[in-house]
mmCIF file of all heavy atoms in Angstrom:
data_model
loop_
_atom_site.group_PDB
_atom_site.id
_atom_site.type_symbol
_atom_site.label_atom_id
_atom_site.label_comp_id
_atom_site.label_asym_id
_atom_site.label_seq_id
_atom_site.Cartn_x
_atom_site.Cartn_y
_atom_site.Cartn_z
ATOM 1 N N ALA A 22 16.999 0.899 14.947
ATOM 2 C CA ALA A 22 18.368 1.386 14.752
ATOM 3 C C ALA A 22 18.404 2.484 13.695
ATOM 4 O O ALA A 22 19.156 3.456 13.819
ATOM 5 C CB ALA A 22 19.290 0.239 14.356
ATOM 6 N N VAL A 23 17.593 2.361 12.649
ATOM 7 C CA VAL A 23 17.533 3.377 11.601
ATOM 8 C C VAL A 23 16.926 4.657 12.165
ATOM 9 O O VAL A 23 17.417 5.759 11.909
ATOM 10 C CB VAL A 23 16.716 2.870 10.386
ATOM 11 C CG1 VAL A 23 16.591 3.951 9.330
ATOM 12 C CG2 VAL A 23 17.335 1.615 9.805
ATOM 13 N N ILE A 24 15.874 4.517 12.942
ATOM 14 C CA ILE A 24 15.221 5.683 13.537
ATOM 15 C C ILE A 24 16.167 6.385 14.517
ATOM 16 O O ILE A 24 16.281 7.608 14.512
ATOM 17 C CB ILE A 24 13.902 5.278 14.224
ATOM 18 C CG1 ILE A 24 12.917 4.755 13.176
ATOM 19 C CG2 ILE A 24 13.306 6.464 15.000
ATOM 20 C CD1 ILE A 24 11.684 4.076 13.752
ATOM 21 N N ALA A 25 16.866 5.614 15.336
ATOM 22 C CA ALA A 25 17.776 6.181 16.332
ATOM 23 C C ALA A 25 18.868 7.027 15.686
ATOM 24 O O ALA A 25 19.287 8.045 16.253
ATOM 25 C CB ALA A 25 18.399 5.068 17.165
ATOM 26 N N LYS A 26 19.317 6.652 14.500
ATOM 27 C CA LYS A 26 20.366 7.401 13.804
ATOM 28 C C LYS A 26 19.899 8.788 13.360
ATOM 29 O O LYS A 26 20.708 9.638 13.041
ATOM 30 C CB LYS A 26 20.866 6.628 12.579
ATOM 31 C CG LYS A 26 21.621 5.380 12.919
ATOM 32 C CD LYS A 26 22.949 5.753 13.488
ATOM 33 C CE LYS A 26 23.807 4.526 13.702
ATOM 34 N NZ LYS A 26 25.093 4.884 14.264
ATOM 35 N N LYS A 27 18.611 9.018 13.354
ATOM 36 C CA LYS A 27 18.066 10.303 12.921
ATOM 37 C C LYS A 27 17.954 11.296 14.079
ATOM 38 O O LYS A 27 17.575 12.442 13.892
ATOM 39 C CB LYS A 27 16.688 10.101 12.273
ATOM 40 C CG LYS A 27 16.771 9.233 11.020
ATOM 41 C CD LYS A 27 15.437 9.037 10.382
ATOM 42 C CE LYS A 27 15.520 8.114 9.188
ATOM 43 N NZ LYS A 27 16.488 8.458 8.173
ATOM 44 N N VAL A 28 18.281 10.855 15.279
ATOM 45 C CA VAL A 28 18.113 11.666 16.478
ATOM 46 C C VAL A 28 19.473 12.009 17.076
ATOM 47 O O VAL A 28 20.330 11.149 17.221
ATOM 48 C CB VAL A 28 17.271 10.893 17.531
ATOM 49 C CG1 VAL A 28 17.117 11.694 18.801
ATOM 50 C CG2 VAL A 28 15.918 10.523 16.956
ATOM 51 N N ASP A 29 19.651 13.264 17.435
ATOM 52 C CA ASP A 29 20.850 13.714 18.148
ATOM 53 C C ASP A 29 20.460 13.873 19.610
ATOM 54 O O ASP A 29 19.690 14.784 19.958
ATOM 55 C CB ASP A 29 21.346 15.030 17.565
ATOM 56 C CG ASP A 29 22.617 15.530 18.230
ATOM 57 O OD1 ASP A 29 22.794 15.337 19.448
ATOM 58 O OD2 ASP A 29 23.439 16.129 17.519
ATOM 59 N N GLU A 30 20.982 13.006 20.462
ATOM 60 C CA GLU A 30 20.600 13.012 21.882
ATOM 61 C C GLU A 30 20.874 14.342 22.572
ATOM 62 O O GLU A 30 20.159 14.726 23.489
ATOM 63 C CB GLU A 30 21.341 11.905 22.632
ATOM 64 C CG GLU A 30 20.742 10.554 22.442
ATOM 65 C CD GLU A 30 21.312 9.538 23.408
ATOM 66 O OE1 GLU A 30 20.994 9.614 24.613
ATOM 67 O OE2 GLU A 30 22.070 8.680 22.949
ATOM 68 N N ASP A 31 21.911 15.039 22.142
ATOM 69 C CA ASP A 31 22.296 16.289 22.803
ATOM 70 C C ASP A 31 21.510 17.494 22.324
ATOM 71 O O ASP A 31 21.377 18.471 23.048
ATOM 72 C CB ASP A 31 23.792 16.549 22.593
ATOM 73 C CG ASP A 31 24.653 15.470 23.225
ATOM 74 O OD1 ASP A 31 24.270 14.954 24.302
ATOM 75 O OD2 ASP A 31 25.701 15.132 22.640
ATOM 76 N N GLU A 32 20.986 17.447 21.100
ATOM 77 C CA GLU A 32 20.376 18.645 20.532
ATOM 78 C C GLU A 32 18.884 18.541 20.219
ATOM 79 O O GLU A 32 18.227 19.563 20.075
ATOM 80 C CB GLU A 32 21.114 19.036 19.244
ATOM 81 C CG GLU A 32 22.555 19.413 19.494
ATOM 82 C CD GLU A 32 23.271 19.844 18.236
ATOM 83 O OE1 GLU A 32 22.598 20.125 17.227
ATOM 84 O OE2 GLU A 32 24.507 19.898 18.266
ATOM 85 N N ASP A 33 18.338 17.348 20.103
ATOM 86 C CA ASP A 33 16.968 17.199 19.602
ATOM 87 C C ASP A 33 15.884 17.110 20.671
ATOM 88 O O ASP A 33 14.713 17.017 20.342
ATOM 89 C CB ASP A 33 16.873 15.952 18.700
ATOM 90 C CG ASP A 33 17.603 16.150 17.393
ATOM 91 O OD1 ASP A 33 17.908 17.295 17.028
ATOM 92 O OD2 ASP A 33 17.873 15.144 16.723
ATOM 93 N N PHE A 34 16.252 17.152 21.949
ATOM 94 C CA PHE A 34 15.247 16.986 22.997
ATOM 95 C C PHE A 34 15.038 18.277 23.747
ATOM 96 O O PHE A 34 15.989 19.025 23.971
ATOM 97 C CB PHE A 34 15.661 15.851 23.932
ATOM 98 C CG PHE A 34 15.589 14.518 23.246
ATOM 99 C CD1 PHE A 34 16.724 13.963 22.681
ATOM 100 C CD2 PHE A 34 14.380 13.859 23.118
ATOM 101 C CE1 PHE A 34 16.649 12.753 22.019
ATOM 102 C CE2 PHE A 34 14.303 12.648 22.456
ATOM 103 C CZ PHE A 34 15.451 12.089 21.906
ATOM 104 N N PRO A 35 13.779 18.544 24.119
ATOM 105 C CA PRO A 35 12.616 17.697 23.898
ATOM 106 C C PRO A 35 12.323 17.589 22.401
ATOM 107 O O PRO A 35 12.466 18.557 21.657
ATOM 108 C CB PRO A 35 11.477 18.380 24.639
ATOM 109 C CG PRO A 35 11.917 19.798 24.802
ATOM 110 C CD PRO A 35 13.413 19.798 24.786
ATOM 111 N N LEU A 36 11.905 16.403 21.975
ATOM 112 C CA LEU A 36 11.634 16.118 20.573
ATOM 113 C C LEU A 36 10.133 16.172 20.317
ATOM 114 O O LEU A 36 9.363 15.494 20.984
ATOM 115 C CB LEU A 36 12.171 14.730 20.198
ATOM 116 C CG LEU A 36 12.071 14.388 18.719
ATOM 117 C CD1 LEU A 36 13.392 13.788 18.244
ATOM 118 C CD2 LEU A 36 10.951 13.409 18.459
ATOM 119 N N ASN A 37 9.743 17.006 19.372
ATOM 120 C CA ASN A 37 8.345 17.139 18.995
ATOM 121 C C ASN A 37 8.041 16.127 17.895
ATOM 122 O O ASN A 37 8.676 16.155 16.833
ATOM 123 C CB ASN A 37 8.081 18.565 18.506
ATOM 124 C CG ASN A 37 6.656 18.767 18.065
ATOM 125 O OD1 ASN A 37 6.266 18.334 16.981
ATOM 126 N ND2 ASN A 37 5.881 19.425 18.908
ATOM 127 N N LYS A 38 7.095 15.238 18.129
ATOM 128 C CA LYS A 38 6.779 14.165 17.179
ATOM 129 C C LYS A 38 6.366 14.715 15.819
ATOM 130 O O LYS A 38 6.855 14.238 14.788
ATOM 131 C CB LYS A 38 5.679 13.265 17.743
ATOM 132 C CG LYS A 38 5.293 12.120 16.818
ATOM 133 C CD LYS A 38 4.359 11.150 17.514
ATOM 134 C CE LYS A 38 2.965 11.261 17.024
ATOM 135 N NZ LYS A 38 2.070 10.240 17.584
ATOM 136 N N ALA A 39 5.500 15.704 15.764
ATOM 137 C CA ALA A 39 5.012 16.245 14.492
ATOM 138 C C ALA A 39 6.159 16.837 13.668
ATOM 139 O O ALA A 39 6.246 16.612 12.452
ATOM 140 C CB ALA A 39 3.933 17.292 14.730
ATOM 141 N N GLU A 40 7.061 17.560 14.313
ATOM 142 C CA GLU A 40 8.199 18.148 13.600
ATOM 143 C C GLU A 40 9.144 17.060 13.098
ATOM 144 O O GLU A 40 9.674 17.154 11.985
ATOM 145 C CB GLU A 40 8.950 19.116 14.511
ATOM 146 C CG GLU A 40 8.165 20.378 14.821
ATOM 147 C CD GLU A 40 8.840 21.257 15.861
ATOM 148 O OE1 GLU A 40 9.985 20.956 16.295
ATOM 149 O OE2 GLU A 40 8.223 22.269 16.252
#
Side-chain angles (χ1 to χ4, degrees):
V23 177
I24 296 169
K26 292 288 186 180
K27 298 180 183 307
V28 178
D29 182 325
E30 281 192 72
D31 297 325
E32 296 182 15
D33 290 343
F34 291 96
L36 186 134
N37 179 284
K38 180 171 107 174
E40 291 173 5

